[in-house]
Amino acid sequence: MVAIGIPVYNGGKFLREGLQSLIDQTFNDWECVVVDNQSADESYLIAKEFSKKDSRITVIRNKEFVPLVENWNNAFIQANQNAKYYKLLQADDWLYPRFLEECIEIFEKDESIGVVSSYRLAGTQVDGCGLDVNDGNIFSGKDILFKQLTRKLDISGDITTLMFSMNHLKKLNFFPRIFNGKYHIDTELFYDICNVSNVGFVFQVLSYTRRHPESQTSTVVFRYNTLHQLNEEVLYRFKGENRQLNKLYKKERIEYAYFYYMQRMKRNKAYEWHKQNIDRWFTPSEYIKGFIKYNTLSRLMNKIKNKLKNQF
C-alpha cells in the first residue's frame, strides 16, 4: 500500500534510527527501497543489515555518484509504482510509530487528497502550525498554496513531513521525475501537488527532522540564504494574474537583487551559489530600488519610524 524511498549519501551516523522507525510503524503494509549514492561510510552496510532483518527493505547502490536531485528521483523511480501512496524519508530523520497509519487514515477519507502533512519536530522546535483543528483535516490545495506563497502559513515542513498519493504524483507534467527543482525540491513538489489536489493534515507530531552541523539545511540553506532563490522561483511559477502575488513577486525580486549585490561585493560562497542558481537576472532598476530600500541607513530609518509609530 505504501512505497518508501530512502536516498542516502554518507548517512551512516543516523541511518539506523530512520530504518528502525519504519520497522516500528503500527501500519505494516509497506515496502522500502534504500538508494545508496556511493557512500564512503558504512551507509550501504547498515542498509544491507536491515534488509536481512526485514524482507520489506531492499537496497540499491548507484554505479556512480549522482547529484542530490537525481538520487531523490532514483529513490522514487526504484520504488514500487503500483503502490497507492509514496513516502520519502531522509536518511538522518525518523518517523513516529503512527506516521503511516495516521496519514493513510486521512488519505482514505477523500480521493481528492494528494498530500498529507502534519506537525513535525525540527530539532527542538515544533512547527507546521497555523491550521485550525476545528476546520477538519481536509483543505483546499489552492488555498493552502496561496497562503504559503503569501507567508501566511507554512505546513510544508520538509520531505520527511510529507506523504503523497501516487495517483496525484502521476498528474505532474514531469512525472516520473517528481523532484523538478534546483535545491528546495521537497517544497516545490509540495506546491506542485497543492496546485492539482487537496491537502490533508494530521494535528499531531509525526516526524523528526534532525538539525545538526553537517545537515544540508545547516551547510547550505542557512549559510547561503537559499530561500531567496526558492521564493523567487515559486512566486514566478504561480503568480499568474493574481495582483497580490505579482506585487509580492516584485518585492521579492528587489530584496533578492540587493542581497545578491551585497554577496557579490563580498565575493563569498553565497554569491557563487546564487550565481549558479538564478534563472532570471536582475535589471538595473531592481538593483537600484533594492539598494535604496534595503541599505543600512534605510533599514535603520524604517526601524526608528516603526518604533515611533508604535509609541504614538
Side-chain angles (χ1 to χ4, degrees):
M1 195 163 189
V2 183
I4 300 168
I6 302 181
V8 59
Y9 173 68
N10 290 346
K13 186 176 181 180
F14 305 113
L15 182 58
R16 280 190 175 90
E17 292 178 73
L19 288 168
Q20 188 61 49
S21 76
L22 290 182
I23 293 174
D24 292 340
Q25 289 295 303
T26 57
F27 183 87
N28 295 315
D29 186 11
W30 55 264
E31 295 177 2
C32 174
V33 177
V34 181
V35 181
D36 179 69
N37 194 16
Q38 285 290 316
S39 295
D41 67 357
E42 57 182 354
S43 297
Y44 180 73
L45 295 177
I46 292 171
K48 292 294 288 184
E49 171 193 327
F50 272 82
S51 70
K52 292 176 182 178
K53 291 181 182 179
D54 195 315
S55 60
R56 295 173 296 180
I57 299 172
T58 59
V59 186
I60 296 173
R61 186 173 173 86
N62 292 335
K63 293 181 180 179
E64 58 184 26
F65 177 82
V66 298
L68 180 145
V69 178
E70 186 173 343
N71 200 43
W72 280 33
N73 277 314
N74 285 345
F76 174 72
I77 293 169
Q78 296 292 342
N80 188 337
Q81 300 294 301
N82 294 318
K84 193 170 184 179
Y85 305 112
Y86 180 70
K87 172 86 196 92
L88 189 145
L89 173 63
Q90 296 189 99
D92 51 359
D93 299 343
W94 47 264
L95 308 175
Y96 282 94
R98 292 181 61 84
F99 182 97
L100 295 179
E101 182 176 347
E102 294 290 344
C103 289
I104 289 171
E105 184 178 335
I106 301 298
F107 271 121
E108 295 292 300
K109 288 182 177 180
D110 195 324
E111 292 184 355
S112 71
I113 298 173
V115 59
V116 170
S117 184
S118 60
Y119 299 140
R120 69 164 176 167
L121 184 61
T124 59
Q125 303 294 318
V126 174
D127 65 18
C129 303
L131 295 175
D132 190 340
V133 67
N134 296 301
D135 292 334
N137 298 99
I138 304 171
F139 301 87
S140 162
K142 290 192 181 295
D143 184 52
I144 295 292
L145 175 60
F146 182 80
K147 288 179 179 178
Q148 292 252 159
L149 291 172
T150 53
R151 320 286 194 273
K152 296 174 183 176
L153 183 71
D154 185 4
I155 63 166
S156 56
D158 67 5
I159 197 65
T160 298
T161 320
L162 306 171
M163 187 162 157
F164 300 91
S165 158
M166 191 70 81
N167 282 339
H168 285 92
L169 288 175
K170 291 176 179 178
K171 294 179 181 179
L172 300 176
N173 293 331
F174 38 86
F175 181 88
R177 294 180 54 83
I178 62 173
F179 298 105
N180 193 41
K182 291 188 174 181
Y183 189 77
H184 294 273
I185 52 178
D186 47 356
T187 304
E188 293 194 43
L189 175 59
F190 177 74
Y191 288 168
D192 286 324
I193 290 294
C194 285
N195 197 41
V196 298
S197 72
N198 288 327
V199 177
F201 193 85
V202 181
F203 291 90
Q204 297 180 43
V205 175
L206 294 181
S207 62
Y208 173 71
T209 300
R210 196 179 300 275
R211 295 284 186 251
H212 58 94
E214 295 84 24
S215 69
Q216 289 286 327
T217 300
S218 299
T219 57
V220 180
V221 177
F222 293 156
R223 186 175 299 175
Y224 301 159
N225 204 344
T226 62
L227 291 176
H228 279 299
Q229 186 272 336
L230 170 67
N231 292 335
E232 194 278 340
E233 173 67 25
V234 296
L235 283 169
Y236 177 79
R237 287 173 59 193
F238 293 109
K239 60 184 175 63
E241 301 298 322
N242 185 278
R243 187 172 299 177
Q244 186 175 348
L245 292 182
N246 270 278
K247 184 177 180 180
L248 188 61
Y249 176 68
K250 291 177 182 178
K251 179 179 180 296
E252 179 63 39
R253 289 279 300 176
I254 293 170
E255 186 174 354
Y256 193 2
Y258 177 74
F259 170 82
Y260 179 74
Y261 175 81
M262 295 306 295
Q263 302 311 305
R264 182 179 180 182
M265 295 297 292
K266 298 174 185 177
R267 291 282 173 176
N268 56 23
K269 289 185 178 180
Y271 158 69
E272 294 296 336
W273 189 94
H274 287 275
K275 181 181 179 181
Q276 294 175 14
N277 289 284
I278 293 174
D279 288 325
R280 287 161 290 279
W281 287 98
F282 309 108
T283 64
S285 174
E286 287 172 328
Y287 280 119
I288 294 170
K289 289 178 181 178
F291 189 80
I292 292 172
K293 186 171 183 178
Y294 295 109
N295 70 75
T296 304
L297 180 59
S298 294
R299 289 177 184 269
L300 178 61
M301 294 301 294
N302 284 331
K303 189 178 291 185
I304 295 172
K305 180 181 177 181
N306 291 331
K307 189 173 183 180
L308 291 172
K309 184 179 180 180
N310 292 334
Q311 287 180 346
F312 297 99

